[in-house]
mmCIF file of all heavy atoms in Angstrom:
data_model
loop_
_atom_site.group_PDB
_atom_site.id
_atom_site.type_symbol
_atom_site.label_atom_id
_atom_site.label_comp_id
_atom_site.label_asym_id
_atom_site.label_seq_id
_atom_site.Cartn_x
_atom_site.Cartn_y
_atom_site.Cartn_z
ATOM 1 N N ASN A 479 -79.982 162.481 66.766
ATOM 2 C CA ASN A 479 -81.170 161.547 66.682
ATOM 3 C C ASN A 479 -81.108 160.545 67.815
ATOM 4 O O ASN A 479 -80.927 159.338 67.656
ATOM 5 C CB ASN A 479 -81.142 160.822 65.302
ATOM 6 C CG ASN A 479 -82.485 160.093 65.017
ATOM 7 O OD1 ASN A 479 -83.467 160.330 65.622
ATOM 8 N ND2 ASN A 479 -82.422 159.240 64.015
ATOM 9 N N VAL A 480 -81.191 161.115 69.063
ATOM 10 C CA VAL A 480 -81.278 160.271 70.168
ATOM 11 C C VAL A 480 -82.403 160.615 71.094
ATOM 12 O O VAL A 480 -83.000 161.660 70.882
ATOM 13 C CB VAL A 480 -79.929 160.325 71.095
ATOM 14 C CG1 VAL A 480 -78.624 159.960 70.277
ATOM 15 C CG2 VAL A 480 -79.770 161.920 71.474
ATOM 16 N N ALA A 481 -82.805 159.689 71.895
ATOM 17 C CA ALA A 481 -84.100 159.979 72.745
ATOM 18 C C ALA A 481 -83.881 160.946 73.908
ATOM 19 O O ALA A 481 -84.725 161.690 74.318
ATOM 20 C CB ALA A 481 -84.510 158.608 73.295
ATOM 21 N N LYS A 482 -82.631 160.983 74.410
ATOM 22 C CA LYS A 482 -82.294 161.910 75.543
ATOM 23 C C LYS A 482 -80.977 162.630 75.242
ATOM 24 O O LYS A 482 -80.007 162.050 74.714
ATOM 25 C CB LYS A 482 -82.235 161.122 76.893
ATOM 26 C CG LYS A 482 -83.533 160.507 77.251
ATOM 27 C CD LYS A 482 -83.375 159.475 78.437
ATOM 28 C CE LYS A 482 -83.004 160.250 79.650
ATOM 29 N NZ LYS A 482 -82.872 159.298 80.856
ATOM 30 N N ASN A 483 -80.830 163.868 75.759
ATOM 31 C CA ASN A 483 -79.578 164.537 75.520
ATOM 32 C C ASN A 483 -79.620 165.734 76.451
ATOM 33 O O ASN A 483 -80.312 166.669 76.415
ATOM 34 C CB ASN A 483 -79.580 165.078 74.087
ATOM 35 C CG ASN A 483 -78.240 165.739 73.801
ATOM 36 O OD1 ASN A 483 -77.330 165.654 74.537
ATOM 37 N ND2 ASN A 483 -78.060 166.353 72.599
ATOM 38 N N THR A 484 -78.565 165.756 77.401
ATOM 39 C CA THR A 484 -78.272 166.887 78.329
ATOM 40 C C THR A 484 -76.764 167.312 78.111
ATOM 41 O O THR A 484 -76.087 167.594 79.034
ATOM 42 C CB THR A 484 -78.588 166.524 79.760
ATOM 43 O OG1 THR A 484 -77.722 165.435 80.149
ATOM 44 C CG2 THR A 484 -79.947 166.143 79.846
ATOM 45 N N SER A 485 -76.302 167.162 76.888
ATOM 46 C CA SER A 485 -74.917 167.373 76.586
ATOM 47 C C SER A 485 -74.599 168.846 76.260
ATOM 48 O O SER A 485 -74.576 169.208 75.099
ATOM 49 C CB SER A 485 -74.385 166.436 75.443
ATOM 50 O OG SER A 485 -74.728 165.087 75.718
ATOM 51 N N GLY A 486 -74.530 169.677 77.198
ATOM 52 C CA GLY A 486 -74.303 171.140 77.032
ATOM 53 C C GLY A 486 -75.545 171.873 76.695
ATOM 54 O O GLY A 486 -76.694 171.384 76.926
ATOM 55 N N TYR A 487 -75.400 173.066 76.225
ATOM 56 C CA TYR A 487 -76.509 174.014 75.910
ATOM 57 C C TYR A 487 -77.283 173.405 74.671
ATOM 58 O O TYR A 487 -76.760 172.843 73.836
ATOM 59 C CB TYR A 487 -76.005 175.431 75.537
ATOM 60 C CG TYR A 487 -75.229 176.093 76.633
ATOM 61 C CD1 TYR A 487 -74.009 176.700 76.407
ATOM 62 C CD2 TYR A 487 -75.744 176.203 77.872
ATOM 63 C CE1 TYR A 487 -73.287 177.309 77.397
ATOM 64 C CE2 TYR A 487 -74.972 176.900 78.916
ATOM 65 C CZ TYR A 487 -73.759 177.382 78.691
ATOM 66 O OH TYR A 487 -73.196 178.072 79.656
ATOM 67 N N ASP A 488 -78.557 173.642 74.737
ATOM 68 C CA ASP A 488 -79.464 173.174 73.723
ATOM 69 C C ASP A 488 -79.467 174.182 72.685
ATOM 70 O O ASP A 488 -80.397 174.983 72.600
ATOM 71 C CB ASP A 488 -80.863 172.806 74.257
ATOM 72 C CG ASP A 488 -81.616 171.956 73.308
ATOM 73 O OD1 ASP A 488 -81.359 172.051 72.023
ATOM 74 O OD2 ASP A 488 -82.581 171.389 73.663
ATOM 75 N N ILE A 489 -78.493 174.230 71.705
ATOM 76 C CA ILE A 489 -78.488 175.171 70.698
ATOM 77 C C ILE A 489 -79.658 174.993 69.671
ATOM 78 O O ILE A 489 -80.177 175.928 69.118
ATOM 79 C CB ILE A 489 -77.099 175.180 69.920
ATOM 80 C CG1 ILE A 489 -75.966 175.349 70.970
ATOM 81 C CG2 ILE A 489 -76.945 176.222 68.849
ATOM 82 C CD1 ILE A 489 -75.922 176.669 71.692
ATOM 83 N N LYS A 490 -80.056 173.712 69.428
ATOM 84 C CA LYS A 490 -81.082 173.397 68.473
ATOM 85 C C LYS A 490 -82.351 174.178 68.919
ATOM 86 O O LYS A 490 -82.994 174.906 68.093
ATOM 87 C CB LYS A 490 -81.321 171.938 68.545
ATOM 88 C CG LYS A 490 -82.384 171.450 67.422
ATOM 89 C CD LYS A 490 -83.649 171.067 68.160
ATOM 90 C CE LYS A 490 -83.591 169.901 69.053
ATOM 91 N NZ LYS A 490 -84.937 169.703 69.694
ATOM 92 N N ASP A 491 -82.716 174.109 70.104
ATOM 93 C CA ASP A 491 -83.965 174.817 70.554
ATOM 94 C C ASP A 491 -83.886 176.310 70.593
ATOM 95 O O ASP A 491 -84.825 177.098 70.481
ATOM 96 C CB ASP A 491 -84.453 174.315 71.926
ATOM 97 C CG ASP A 491 -85.296 173.156 71.757
ATOM 98 O OD1 ASP A 491 -85.559 172.539 70.621
ATOM 99 O OD2 ASP A 491 -85.814 172.558 72.822
ATOM 100 N N LEU A 492 -82.590 176.821 70.725
ATOM 101 C CA LEU A 492 -82.440 178.263 70.538
ATOM 102 C C LEU A 492 -82.568 178.683 69.160
ATOM 103 O O LEU A 492 -83.161 179.740 68.892
ATOM 104 C CB LEU A 492 -80.966 178.647 71.120
ATOM 105 C CG LEU A 492 -80.511 180.032 70.872
ATOM 106 C CD1 LEU A 492 -81.402 181.083 71.702
ATOM 107 C CD2 LEU A 492 -79.085 180.218 71.306
ATOM 108 N N VAL A 493 -82.060 177.860 68.214
ATOM 109 C CA VAL A 493 -82.157 178.208 66.803
ATOM 110 C C VAL A 493 -83.621 178.225 66.312
ATOM 111 O O VAL A 493 -84.054 179.025 65.451
ATOM 112 C CB VAL A 493 -81.286 177.304 65.966
ATOM 113 C CG1 VAL A 493 -81.560 177.477 64.494
ATOM 114 C CG2 VAL A 493 -79.803 177.762 66.198
ATOM 115 N N VAL A 494 -84.380 177.191 66.778
ATOM 116 C CA VAL A 494 -85.773 177.102 66.350
ATOM 117 C C VAL A 494 -86.462 178.356 66.890
ATOM 118 O O VAL A 494 -86.404 178.754 68.029
ATOM 119 C CB VAL A 494 -86.461 175.851 67.018
ATOM 120 C CG1 VAL A 494 -87.924 175.846 66.735
ATOM 121 C CG2 VAL A 494 -85.763 174.572 66.416
ATOM 122 N N GLY A 495 -87.070 179.088 65.882
ATOM 123 C CA GLY A 495 -87.822 180.243 66.277
ATOM 124 C C GLY A 495 -86.910 181.510 66.203
ATOM 125 O O GLY A 495 -87.435 182.629 66.541
ATOM 126 N N SER A 496 -85.648 181.376 65.681
ATOM 127 C CA SER A 496 -84.855 182.520 65.575
ATOM 128 C C SER A 496 -85.002 183.345 64.387
ATOM 129 O O SER A 496 -84.226 184.336 64.193
ATOM 130 C CB SER A 496 -83.323 182.132 65.876
ATOM 131 O OG SER A 496 -82.960 181.264 64.740
ATOM 132 N N GLU A 497 -85.888 182.897 63.519
ATOM 133 C CA GLU A 497 -86.231 183.665 62.297
ATOM 134 C C GLU A 497 -85.123 183.988 61.387
ATOM 135 O O GLU A 497 -85.057 185.040 60.778
ATOM 136 C CB GLU A 497 -86.920 184.975 62.716
ATOM 137 C CG GLU A 497 -88.280 184.809 63.584
ATOM 138 C CD GLU A 497 -89.010 185.991 63.782
ATOM 139 O OE1 GLU A 497 -89.237 186.852 62.807
ATOM 140 O OE2 GLU A 497 -89.503 186.200 64.922
ATOM 141 N N GLY A 498 -84.231 183.098 61.236
ATOM 142 C CA GLY A 498 -83.028 183.105 60.328
ATOM 143 C C GLY A 498 -82.042 184.353 60.695
ATOM 144 O O GLY A 498 -81.244 184.773 59.814
ATOM 145 N N THR A 499 -82.034 184.760 61.940
ATOM 146 C CA THR A 499 -81.033 185.728 62.374
ATOM 147 C C THR A 499 -79.685 185.151 62.902
ATOM 148 O O THR A 499 -78.832 185.913 63.029
ATOM 149 C CB THR A 499 -81.780 186.644 63.525
ATOM 150 O OG1 THR A 499 -82.037 185.821 64.600
ATOM 151 C CG2 THR A 499 -82.984 187.350 63.006
ATOM 152 N N LEU A 500 -79.786 183.880 63.235
ATOM 153 C CA LEU A 500 -78.594 183.165 63.719
ATOM 154 C C LEU A 500 -77.931 182.371 62.810
ATOM 155 O O LEU A 500 -76.653 182.185 62.873
ATOM 156 C CB LEU A 500 -79.077 182.395 65.051
ATOM 157 C CG LEU A 500 -79.755 183.185 66.186
ATOM 158 C CD1 LEU A 500 -79.965 182.323 67.332
ATOM 159 C CD2 LEU A 500 -78.964 184.443 66.679
ATOM 160 N N CYS A 501 -78.553 181.635 62.043
ATOM 161 C CA CYS A 501 -78.022 180.736 60.969
ATOM 162 C C CYS A 501 -79.110 180.329 59.973
ATOM 163 O O CYS A 501 -80.274 180.692 60.157
ATOM 164 C CB CYS A 501 -77.450 179.439 61.634
ATOM 165 S SG CYS A 501 -78.713 178.614 62.676
ATOM 166 N N ILE A 502 -78.777 179.512 58.895
ATOM 167 C CA ILE A 502 -79.616 179.073 57.987
ATOM 168 C C ILE A 502 -79.677 177.617 57.928
ATOM 169 O O ILE A 502 -78.701 176.847 57.799
ATOM 170 C CB ILE A 502 -79.261 179.514 56.530
ATOM 171 C CG1 ILE A 502 -79.152 181.111 56.432
ATOM 172 C CG2 ILE A 502 -80.103 178.987 55.476
ATOM 173 C CD1 ILE A 502 -78.567 181.565 55.112
ATOM 174 N N ALA A 503 -80.887 176.970 58.181
ATOM 175 C CA ALA A 503 -81.081 175.574 58.281
ATOM 176 C C ALA A 503 -81.042 174.979 56.808
ATOM 177 O O ALA A 503 -81.686 175.527 55.871
ATOM 178 C CB ALA A 503 -82.345 175.160 58.901
ATOM 179 N N THR A 504 -80.335 173.959 56.569
ATOM 180 C CA THR A 504 -80.147 173.334 55.264
ATOM 181 C C THR A 504 -80.654 171.868 55.237
ATOM 182 O O THR A 504 -80.958 171.317 54.179
ATOM 183 C CB THR A 504 -78.671 173.420 54.694
ATOM 184 O OG1 THR A 504 -77.768 172.952 55.696
ATOM 185 C CG2 THR A 504 -78.344 174.869 54.402
ATOM 186 N N LYS A 505 -80.614 171.227 56.369
ATOM 187 C CA LYS A 505 -81.309 169.891 56.459
ATOM 188 C C LYS A 505 -81.994 169.816 57.897
ATOM 189 O O LYS A 505 -81.328 170.318 58.828
ATOM 190 C CB LYS A 505 -80.216 168.796 56.437
ATOM 191 C CG LYS A 505 -79.711 168.581 54.979
ATOM 192 C CD LYS A 505 -78.845 167.323 54.890
ATOM 193 C CE LYS A 505 -78.229 167.093 53.505
ATOM 194 N NZ LYS A 505 -77.263 168.114 53.190
ATOM 195 N N LEU A 506 -83.114 169.197 57.943
ATOM 196 C CA LEU A 506 -83.891 169.144 59.137
ATOM 197 C C LEU A 506 -84.385 167.702 59.341
ATOM 198 O O LEU A 506 -84.990 167.147 58.445
ATOM 199 C CB LEU A 506 -85.073 170.110 59.106
ATOM 200 C CG LEU A 506 -84.764 171.599 58.955
ATOM 201 C CD1 LEU A 506 -85.833 172.286 58.275
ATOM 202 C CD2 LEU A 506 -84.555 172.074 60.363
ATOM 203 N N ARG A 507 -84.107 167.133 60.472
ATOM 204 C CA ARG A 507 -84.649 165.852 60.782
ATOM 205 C C ARG A 507 -85.924 166.027 61.678
ATOM 206 O O ARG A 507 -85.773 166.582 62.741
ATOM 207 C CB ARG A 507 -83.613 165.006 61.608
ATOM 208 C CG ARG A 507 -84.097 163.519 61.816
ATOM 209 C CD ARG A 507 -83.159 162.641 62.528
ATOM 210 N NE ARG A 507 -82.099 162.265 61.549
ATOM 211 C CZ ARG A 507 -82.046 161.289 60.790
ATOM 212 N NH1 ARG A 507 -83.172 160.428 60.688
ATOM 213 N NH2 ARG A 507 -81.042 160.992 59.936
ATOM 214 N N MET A 508 -87.069 165.614 61.119
ATOM 215 C CA MET A 508 -88.364 165.965 61.770
ATOM 216 C C MET A 508 -88.932 164.640 62.263
ATOM 217 O O MET A 508 -88.875 163.561 61.655
ATOM 218 C CB MET A 508 -89.219 166.538 60.809
ATOM 219 C CG MET A 508 -88.673 167.813 60.044
ATOM 220 S SD MET A 508 -88.160 169.191 61.158
ATOM 221 C CE MET A 508 -89.750 169.722 61.743
ATOM 222 N N ARG A 509 -89.490 164.742 63.531
ATOM 223 C CA ARG A 509 -90.116 163.602 64.193
ATOM 224 C C ARG A 509 -91.510 163.290 63.599
ATOM 225 O O ARG A 509 -92.216 164.215 63.187
ATOM 226 C CB ARG A 509 -90.306 163.911 65.707
ATOM 227 C CG ARG A 509 -90.758 162.769 66.513
ATOM 228 C CD ARG A 509 -90.711 163.097 68.039
ATOM 229 N NE ARG A 509 -91.524 164.164 68.400
ATOM 230 C CZ ARG A 509 -92.719 163.922 69.025
ATOM 231 N NH1 ARG A 509 -93.213 162.677 69.155
ATOM 232 N NH2 ARG A 509 -93.517 164.896 69.447
ATOM 233 N N LEU A 510 -91.804 162.075 63.486
ATOM 234 C CA LEU A 510 -93.094 161.596 62.964
ATOM 235 C C LEU A 510 -93.775 160.817 64.158
ATOM 236 O O LEU A 510 -93.145 160.329 64.997
ATOM 237 C CB LEU A 510 -92.994 160.681 61.796
ATOM 238 C CG LEU A 510 -92.141 161.401 60.679
ATOM 239 C CD1 LEU A 510 -91.773 160.205 59.625
ATOM 240 C CD2 LEU A 510 -92.849 162.415 59.931
ATOM 241 N N ILE A 511 -95.151 160.656 64.057
ATOM 242 C CA ILE A 511 -95.894 159.905 65.025
ATOM 243 C C ILE A 511 -96.865 159.001 64.262
ATOM 244 O O ILE A 511 -97.016 159.171 63.075
ATOM 245 C CB ILE A 511 -96.528 160.814 66.055
ATOM 246 C CG1 ILE A 511 -97.687 161.528 65.454
ATOM 247 C CG2 ILE A 511 -95.557 161.643 66.939
ATOM 248 C CD1 ILE A 511 -98.501 162.333 66.481
ATOM 249 N N HIS A 512 -97.493 158.114 65.059
ATOM 250 C CA HIS A 512 -98.548 157.259 64.424
ATOM 251 C C HIS A 512 -99.817 158.103 64.253
ATOM 252 O O HIS A 512 -100.120 158.838 65.158
ATOM 253 C CB HIS A 512 -98.655 156.020 65.267
ATOM 254 C CG HIS A 512 -97.556 155.058 65.296
ATOM 255 N ND1 HIS A 512 -97.134 154.355 64.265
ATOM 256 C CD2 HIS A 512 -96.707 154.716 66.266
ATOM 257 C CE1 HIS A 512 -96.044 153.632 64.407
ATOM 258 N NE2 HIS A 512 -95.792 153.755 65.715
ATOM 259 N N PRO A 513 -100.483 157.927 63.138
ATOM 260 C CA PRO A 513 -101.623 158.762 62.894
ATOM 261 C C PRO A 513 -102.790 158.300 63.873
ATOM 262 O O PRO A 513 -102.934 157.122 64.140
ATOM 263 C CB PRO A 513 -101.999 158.646 61.497
ATOM 264 C CG PRO A 513 -101.474 157.189 61.240
ATOM 265 C CD PRO A 513 -100.246 156.989 62.080
ATOM 266 N N PRO A 514 -103.792 159.176 64.132
ATOM 267 C CA PRO A 514 -104.998 158.784 64.773
ATOM 268 C C PRO A 514 -105.853 157.981 63.878
ATOM 269 O O PRO A 514 -105.799 158.298 62.553
ATOM 270 C CB PRO A 514 -105.725 160.123 65.214
ATOM 271 C CG PRO A 514 -105.115 161.130 64.215
ATOM 272 C CD PRO A 514 -103.782 160.558 63.824
ATOM 273 N N LYS A 515 -106.604 157.029 64.314
ATOM 274 C CA LYS A 515 -107.484 156.259 63.538
ATOM 275 C C LYS A 515 -108.851 156.928 63.203
ATOM 276 O O LYS A 515 -109.486 156.769 62.111
ATOM 277 C CB LYS A 515 -107.713 154.875 64.076
ATOM 278 C CG LYS A 515 -106.459 154.002 64.115
ATOM 279 C CD LYS A 515 -106.664 152.637 64.621
ATOM 280 C CE LYS A 515 -105.499 151.804 64.190
ATOM 281 N NZ LYS A 515 -104.824 151.233 65.427
ATOM 282 N N VAL A 516 -109.222 157.779 64.074
ATOM 283 C CA VAL A 516 -110.581 158.433 64.033
ATOM 284 C C VAL A 516 -110.404 159.907 64.413
ATOM 285 O O VAL A 516 -109.636 160.213 65.320
ATOM 286 C CB VAL A 516 -111.506 157.725 64.917
ATOM 287 C CG1 VAL A 516 -112.944 158.392 64.845
ATOM 288 C CG2 VAL A 516 -111.686 156.296 64.695
#
């Protein structure tokens, strides 16, 4: 949960989209944004 990270290989982005063939996610921290007004 940091704004920038170049600490080694980005395993998180490799796992995203891997269709459960590499590991099973059990907790996910998801980003939120401010909603549009219109």
Side-chain angles (χ1 to χ4, degrees):
N479 195 15
V480 297
K482 297 169 69 178
N483 184 8
T484 59
S485 307
Y487 298 130
D488 194 339
I489 304 299
K490 183 256 297 179
D491 272 0
L492 175 63
V493 168
V494 174
S496 63
E497 301 188 42
T499 61
L500 304 181
C501 56
I502 300 174
T504 51
K505 288 188 182 68
L506 297 153
R507 183 176 291 274
M508 307 302 291
R509 185 166 71 93
L510 308 167
I511 66 174
H512 293 291
K515 293 187 170 120
V516 182

